[in-house]
Amino acid sequence: MTTDIRFKRADGNTDLPLPAYATPGAAGMDLRAFLPDGPVTFEHGQLRIISTGFSVELPPGTEMQIRPRSGLALKHGFLIPNSPGTVDSDYRGVVMCGLYYLGSDPFTIRHGDRIAQAVVADVRHCRPVEVDDLSDSERGTGGFGSTGLR
């Protein structure tokens, strides 16, 4: 199923392609760095907010999740600290990506580089209801790592 998503260019963005899926089976659209003032070089431990150069109008009942790109994360050491970041369907500002660099050597991001991916997902609104008890579960209340490694 294909649904239209409306993108609006930020002021000064005249050349970046629309976010797009790299392959027919891709779950996420590539987001590119909008750096009209030139490249940005990251040093180890540095966090920067990078613009994608686009605002978005999502269909009602959806969100856009901003996730790391595998290559940038695993090969170069970039993380998105709030991963996945959420763009709500009623947000109309420019989509930004927080990038945190763990690599050891300086790394430069240039205008148009693919920096993140956007996955559009359905959102379900639930009504919070306070209760005195919850149903039993096999998992119980063990918490982090309670099911073990294997």
Side-chain angles (χ1 to χ4, degrees):
M1 178 169 99
T2 302
T3 303
D4 290 343
I5 297 178
R6 298 164 50 110
F7 287 97
K8 179 183 175 194
R9 290 179 184 278
D11 289 343
N13 179 3
T14 60
D15 63 332
L16 289 182
L18 286 174
Y21 299 97
T23 67
M29 292 179 272
D30 287 331
L31 298 175
R32 296 175 182 271
F34 176 60
L35 297 170
D37 296 330
V40 173
T41 299
F42 284 79
E43 301 288 339
H44 174 79
Q46 199 165 29
L47 170 66
R48 292 184 185 232
I49 308 281
I50 305 293
S51 174
T52 66
F54 289 96
S55 299
V56 65
E57 182 178 338
L58 296 167
T62 65
E63 66 162 331
M64 179 180 281
Q65 298 174 4
I66 308 301
R67 300 180 183 181
R69 293 189 70 243
S70 299
L72 207 55
L74 297 174
K75 294 178 184 173
H76 302 291
F78 278 94
L79 301 177
I80 294 178
N82 63 324
S83 183
T86 296
V87 178
D88 297 309
S89 64
D90 58 354
Y91 177 71
R92 295 295 184 271
V94 174
V95 175
M96 308 292 274
C97 294
L99 294 178
Y100 184 72
Y101 183 55
L102 295 174
S104 53
D105 296 326
F107 189 92
T108 300
I109 301 285
R110 292 175 172 71
H111 179 75
D113 284 353
R114 295 177 296 161
I115 57 169
Q117 58 181 326
V119 174
V120 178
D122 291 333
V123 172
R124 174 184 283 192
H125 280 206
C126 299
R127 184 179 60 249
V129 177
E130 185 173 352
V131 298
D132 291 327
D133 293 301
L134 299 175
S135 63
D136 290 335
S137 165
E138 286 181 32
R139 294 285 310 275
T141 60
F144 295 102
S146 65
T147 61
L149 292 175
R150 299 192 197 317

